[in-house]
Amino acid sequence: MDASLDTFILCVAPRKKPWVSLLNCSDLSTGESCDLTTYFNNAHCYYLARVQAFVPDQESNWTSSKLFYPMLDTILGAPVVELTGCGNCLLLQLSPPASRGHRRQLEFFFSDYVVNVSRTRDKAQFVIRASSGKNLINYLELGVEYCITVLPVTNLNNAVVPSGPHCTYTSPAPVNTVPVFVGALCTLFLLVALFSAALIYRGQLGVLHKLLPRTLSA
């Protein structure tokens, strides 16, 4: 059995041909599906789809879907998260999910986020608010692993998908080279002093060795 699928778009402006036939969704076999995402290119339109099945000698009645309004009915995917350590802080880069030509509309949806920060060692956690772009999470322990999850906050009643956990370590504490340098300098001075003392002691023994035969001969 084959199927023909048409999509009906209801916008504010009237259309001369309300039903738009989708050629790539025609002649579908039983069990096949068709992705209509690219046809819902206006988030402020109402969309209606209808489908009809047919065989060479008969056809079914049209079956229509419910009205679909992208602004409210879309399930928003997880945001894109990049996390890196930076000393006693984490650098968090947030952006809307990859989309098919709806980047600006998604930026409106994903303008605010709730970030849950958890320390791996003892599961201690806290929550912060963040925005799209670069965010800095400060006052963390050095050299410790932290994991975050990000949940978008929307001003509409859309279902949202949180991000999966992203984990990384804060940077380890920088090595203080001053004590090492001072210790090495003190060691060098001590070696020089010992070497000088050895030379002086050796020189005194040499003088004493030269003077001793004269005294005995006298």
Side-chain angles (χ1 to χ4, degrees):
M1 180 176 288
D2 296 328
S4 175
L5 182 62
D6 287 340
T7 299
F8 183 48
I9 301 176
L10 294 175
C11 291
V12 177
R15 296 176 59 93
K16 294 181 180 180
K17 186 181 179 182
W19 286 106
V20 178
S21 180
L22 307 179
L23 297 178
N24 61 324
C25 294
S26 300
D27 299 327
L28 299 177
S29 300
T30 303
E32 287 186 317
S33 61
C34 185
D35 188 355
L36 304 180
T37 305
T38 55
Y39 296 96
F40 301 149
N41 53 13
N42 189 337
H44 301 281
C45 275
Y46 287 88
Y47 294 90
L48 184 68
R50 67 178 185 179
V51 64
Q52 182 186 52
F54 61 91
V55 291
D57 57 346
Q58 62 181 327
E59 61 186 29
S60 70
N61 295 326
W62 286 100
T63 300
S64 298
S65 68
K66 295 181 180 179
L67 281 176
F68 173 68
Y69 184 47
M71 288 290 290
L72 296 178
D73 298 331
T74 300
I75 298 176
L76 303 177
V80 178
V81 179
E82 297 179 17
L83 186 67
T84 55
C86 55
N88 66 337
C89 62
L90 296 175
L91 180 60
L92 177 62
Q93 177 80 30
L94 297 175
S95 56
S99 63
R100 302 176 183 177
H102 301 283
R103 187 72 180 184
R104 292 183 179 178
Q105 296 170 355
L106 285 174
E107 288 176 355
F108 171 76
F109 284 124
F110 287 77
S111 59
D112 199 14
Y113 306 84
V114 173
V115 181
N116 183 78
V117 184
S118 176
R119 189 167 53 198
T120 303
R121 184 184 66 228
D122 54 5
K123 305 304 180 184
Q125 55 186 306
F126 59 92
V127 176
I128 64 171
R129 296 294 287 261
S131 58
S132 293
K134 293 182 179 180
N135 299 268
L136 208 59
I137 306 175
N138 287 306
Y139 310 114
L140 304 177
E141 290 187 47
L142 290 168
V144 175
E145 185 183 43
Y146 289 86
C147 294
I148 67 154
T149 54
V150 181
L151 178 68
V153 178
T154 69
N155 51 4
L156 299 173
N157 296 324
N158 293 80
V160 293
V161 178
S163 73
H166 290 72
C167 303
T168 191
Y169 283 84
T170 54
S171 301
V175 178
N176 189 355
T177 58
V178 174
V180 177
F181 177 75
V182 172
L185 196 59
C186 292
T187 302
L188 180 62
F189 281 145
L190 180 60
L191 291 175
V192 171
L194 290 175
F195 182 71
S196 301
L199 290 178
I200 294 173
Y201 180 71
R202 223 175 141 186
Q204 290 178 345
L205 286 179
V207 172
L208 182 62
H209 180 71
K210 291 180 180 180
L211 294 175
L212 186 60
R214 295 178 183 178
T215 304
L216 292 176
S217 62

